[in-house]
């Protein structure tokens, strides 16, 4: 990727940075000069591979931790600061799906998706805001989904969590604006990752009919948006929801 902005000296924590969209964001932030803490839940090998791909002495650390467990989520911030001495950029990317029609949806499927996507975002953000407020600079970037904007049959739990992330992010954008901290949302459309690999050809074709640009997205389509929102140059952008979806949802 061509270098768009300069993040030299900045430290980023990317939750779920080991695979998919989070991996691309971690690599892009590092390519622009940031040091990056790569969080993952269980797949240590993927996180190690991402850290190795970032390369460079002291440029990346991997942090195991389940963001659905509030204490573990908050500890990610402490461990980032322990590794790098500061935290400037938080990318709340880790997420899961457990799809079902709401009439059939178990309480467990509801709780797991809300606890990871929404409560996890709250726990990690709350911990990150304290040092950001003290240093009078910060960037919070939350990964939602177009499902949180327009809804999606079979994803009521996921859409509720992703819509919740939008309201949460706009609220903290107002709470901490005076401290030079911005908070923004990226809402990806259909992106080719392990999360979407189980969709049938029929489901893919149906989605593709609605994508103006006529192709699925890649994690590398999302990463430049995160680099921009993390930059000094995005200082006047806050509380924004940036869809990166090939024109799937226009509003
Ligand atoms: P993915 O390929 O399934 O990767 C998920 C990442 O999140 C992995 O690094 C995983 O770690 C981590 N993770 C999962 N649960 C976690 C937990 N409890 N604590 C910490 N880390 C956890 O997913 P993706 O497609 O890249 O999605 C990334 C984000 O984009 C998610 O928030 C997703 O909802 C959102 N999104 C995706 C799409 C899409 O089409 N793919 C569209 C819109 C929005 P392990 O490797 O250890 O499992």
């Amino acid at each position: 990727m061509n270098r768009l902005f300069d993040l030299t000296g900045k430290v980023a924590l990317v939750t779920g940075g080991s695979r998919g969209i989070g991996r691309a964001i971690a690599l892009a932030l590092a390519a622009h000069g940031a040091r990056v803490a790569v969080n993952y839940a269980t797949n240590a090998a993927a996180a190690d591979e991402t850290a190795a791909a970032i390369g460079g002495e002291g440029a990346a650390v991997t942090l195991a931790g389940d963001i659905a467990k509030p204490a573990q989520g908050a500890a990610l911030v402490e461990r980032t600061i322990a590794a790098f001495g500061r935290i400037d950029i938080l990318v709340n990317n880790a997420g899961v799906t457990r799809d079902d029609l709401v009439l059939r949806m178990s309480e467990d499927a509801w709780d797991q998706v809300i606890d990871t996507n929404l409560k996890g975002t709250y726990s990690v953000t709350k911990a990150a805001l304290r040092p950001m407020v003290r240093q009078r600079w910060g960037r919070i970037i939350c990964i939602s989904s177009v499902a949180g904007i327009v809804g999606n049959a079979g994803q009521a739990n996921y859409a509720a969590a992703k819509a919740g992330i939008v309201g949460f992010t706009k609220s903290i954008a107002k709470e901490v604006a005076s401290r030079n901290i911005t908070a923004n949302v990226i809402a990806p459309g259909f992106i080719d990752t392990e999360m979407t690999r189980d969709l049938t050809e029929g489901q893919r074709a149906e989605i593709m009919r609605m994508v103006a640009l006529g192709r699925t997205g890649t994690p590398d389509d999302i990463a430049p948006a995160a680099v921009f929102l993390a930059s000094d140059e995005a200082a006047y952008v806050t509380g924004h929801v940036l869809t990166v979806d090939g024109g799937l949802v226009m509003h």
Side-chain angles (χ1 to χ4, degrees):
M1 187 190 297
N2 292 327
R3 209 164 155 127
L4 307 165
F5 302 99
D6 189 7
L7 302 178
T8 305
K10 300 284 197 273
V11 169
L13 165 61
V14 182
T15 67
S18 55
R19 294 189 283 117
I21 292 169
R23 178 183 188 277
I25 291 173
L27 286 171
L29 294 174
H32 287 77
R35 288 174 291 165
V36 184
V38 177
N39 158 249
Y40 64 100
T42 54
N43 190 338
D48 287 344
E49 190 279 326
T50 298
I54 288 173
E57 190 67 25
V61 293
T62 61
L63 300 178
D66 179 355
I67 64 156
K69 306 229 164 66
Q72 290 189 33
L76 293 176
V77 173
E78 289 160 29
R79 292 160 68 198
T80 300
I81 295 171
F84 294 125
R86 56 187 299 120
I87 182 167
D88 304 287
I89 301 159
L90 169 63
V91 184
N92 287 304
N93 165 81
V96 292
T97 53
R98 274 187 66 183
D99 298 352
D100 216 338
L101 295 173
V102 76
L103 283 171
R104 285 200 301 244
M105 186 176 289
S106 68
E107 191 175 338
D108 185 57
W110 173 269
D111 285 345
Q112 191 196 352
V113 169
I114 299 291
D115 285 353
T116 307
N117 295 273
L118 183 55
K119 194 169 180 183
T121 295
Y122 151 77
S123 306
V124 185
T125 302
K126 182 177 177 182
L129 283 177
R130 292 187 199 285
M132 288 180 182
V133 163
R134 272 199 298 275
Q135 73 195 12
R136 299 285 195 272
W137 200 97
R139 295 284 184 265
I140 308 287
I141 300 165
C142 298
I143 309 300
S144 175
S145 166
V146 292
I149 299 170
V150 294
N152 197 20
Q155 289 197 309
N157 50 357
Y158 183 74
K162 293 306 194 184
I165 284 174
V166 172
F168 173 76
T169 308
K170 289 181 176 178
S171 300
I172 60 167
K174 292 182 176 182
E175 288 185 14
V176 296
S178 65
R179 299 298 184 269
N180 213 20
I181 299 167
T182 66
N184 291 286
V185 171
I186 298 173
F190 185 98
I191 310 298
D192 265 319
T193 68
E194 287 175 48
M195 185 176 271
T196 48
R197 87 184 148 188
D198 292 335
L199 289 182
T200 64
E201 279 312 310
Q203 287 170 317
R204 279 171 180 268
E206 197 178 316
I207 294 167
M208 277 315 98
R209 271 196 294 280
M210 297 186 289
V211 178
L213 288 174
R215 66 170 177 88
T216 55
T218 70
D220 287 338
D221 287 317
I222 306 299
V227 173
F228 166 63
L229 292 172
S231 71
D232 272 319
E233 285 77 3
Y236 204 54
V237 181
T238 198
H240 187 67
V241 181
L242 178 57
T243 53
V244 185
D245 66 352
L248 175 59
V249 171
M250 298 189 195
H251 54 98

